[in-house]
Amino acid sequence: MKKSIVSALTIALVVGAVSTTFAAANPFSDVPAGHWAYDAVTQLAADGIIEGYGDGTYLGNRNITRYEMAQMIAKAMAKNPIGTDRSRDWNLRRLEAEFAEELNNLGVRVSNLEKYADKVTWHGFLRYTYNRTRIEQADGHKVNTNTKPLKFRFEPVAEVNKHWKLKARIDADVNMRTDAGSTGNFNLIRGWAEGKYDNLTIGVGKMPILLDSQLLFDDELSGAGVIFGKKLKVTLQAGRYDLNSGNSAIRNKGDDVSNMQSAGLAYNLGKFNIFGTYHHLNSDNFKVVNAYKDHGATDDANIWSAGASYRFDKNFALGGQYADNTKADNYAHAHTIQIDYKGTKRTQAKTWGIYAAYRYLGQNVALDPTYGANGGVDAGNKGWEIGAGYTLFNNVLLQAKYVNAKTIATDRDAEKIFGRVEWFF
């Protein structure tokens, strides 16, 4: 791309190369004193950013290459160190980002360009899902249910300073069978501030639950959390949990919100990892759930879990977890074991992976596991789950799953066939 060399004068205005007192001498014969660009040209020449030609001309209407533009930016960078003028710094960084390749070829190394090119980065996906379930009824016949949800998700990250960022999750959902929800309304699902200081991470706001997100809580918490440590990581989190996000056993019981405190330890031994967690929840909802102790006398849920994973080599990995709610009489246990072979890489086409798992998800401990919403075994069920993934193109991921399960309470069949395609950005 070529530009008029006169347009390059914007550098003078953008990066502050023009001083408040303009140079008096006229270095170029073809830029007379009455020319509209006279002051900028003479000051740029005085600052050493432009040189003109040996015959004393500037040739301001000549087209220039990106390489020549980069030379001027490099000189402006040397003349104007970043850090003294906020608006100039911002615009200079934009120019650095635009001409990064040419600047690097000139030997001018521009570090962290991606950090300064834009203060806000946007990530997310468009996801289409097909989910077919077959549930056995009391008389033995099976009822088929098909759902075809479409989800569009934004996950912006905004930089506050070198330690703090603002993060969010914004979703819009459409039922492709009925077109319900196609008004295009977006909902703020999460919004929190995250700070990082060496081995300490702090989160404040409506943030993801940091512990047991797969087996127990694929949800958000309104509160705060910290993670610290290196090989041995300690996680603490406290706030309010919306019980209506959970499974049908705890939803709509009168008290929608539970106070929640969580603590966890995780130790990384390379190929082998172990962890343990504890969660305390308090809500009147638990008093009206028949499966809780003393016929509804308690308003607490005390949940602990432990798990481990081991990676044999670059292809095979095995993991498992067990959880128990000590305040519940029934449906109080949950456990899972899963073996993985290979795995998809979202940004690498033609990568693939398969897995097989057995899950037992008592509904009074696995309050909202991630498996069911993603085509696997649902809360209140037990059974086998197999799945496969394939990266069709960069950032285009295909998934397929099959579930052969039974309900824990009635031992009736609960079968599921699942397919999904996701486009990431």
Side-chain angles (χ1 to χ4, degrees), residues 230-233 265-270 272-276 309:
K230 198 171 182 181
K231 283 193 173 183
L232 177 63
K233 285 190 178 295
L265 290 173
Y267 194 62
N268 184 348
L269 296 170
F272 182 60
N273 297 277
I274 56 174
F275 61 90
S309 65

Side-chain angles (χ1 to χ4, degrees), residues 112-227:
N112 298 323
L113 279 178
E114 70 284 352
K115 180 177 180 181
Y116 297 113
D118 202 334
K119 291 287 185 178
V120 181
T121 57
W122 293 85
H123 306 279
F125 59 74
L126 177 68
R127 167 193 289 170
Y128 173 75
T129 300
Y130 172 81
N131 200 0
R132 178 174 180 251
T133 60
R134 296 185 67 195
I135 306 298
E136 183 182 4
Q137 305 301 301
D139 60 4
H141 83 282
K142 296 182 179 181
V143 174
N144 294 330
T145 303
N146 296 335
T147 59
K148 299 178 181 180
L150 181 72
K151 181 185 289 290
F152 192 89
R153 172 171 291 172
F154 283 120
E155 292 186 310
V157 178
E159 180 189 337
V160 177
N161 54 48
K162 69 178 183 177
H163 291 296
W164 285 88
K165 294 180 179 179
L166 302 180
K167 297 185 174 183
R169 173 177 289 184
I170 305 167
D171 286 355
D173 296 279
V174 177
N175 185 332
M176 296 292 285
R177 283 182 58 84
T178 64
D179 233 16
S182 59
T183 55
N185 292 331
F186 283 88
N187 297 310
L188 179 65
I189 308 301
R190 298 175 180 175
W192 77 102
E194 182 179 279
K196 291 192 175 182
Y197 298 85
D198 295 327
N199 294 322
L200 170 67
T201 300
I202 305 168
V204 181
K206 190 168 185 180
M207 59 186 299
I209 293 179
L210 300 174
L211 295 165
D212 295 326
S213 61
Q214 289 191 311
L215 182 63
L216 304 182
F217 305 101
D218 184 14
D219 282 312
E220 295 76 36
L221 188 77
S222 296
V226 296
I227 303 173

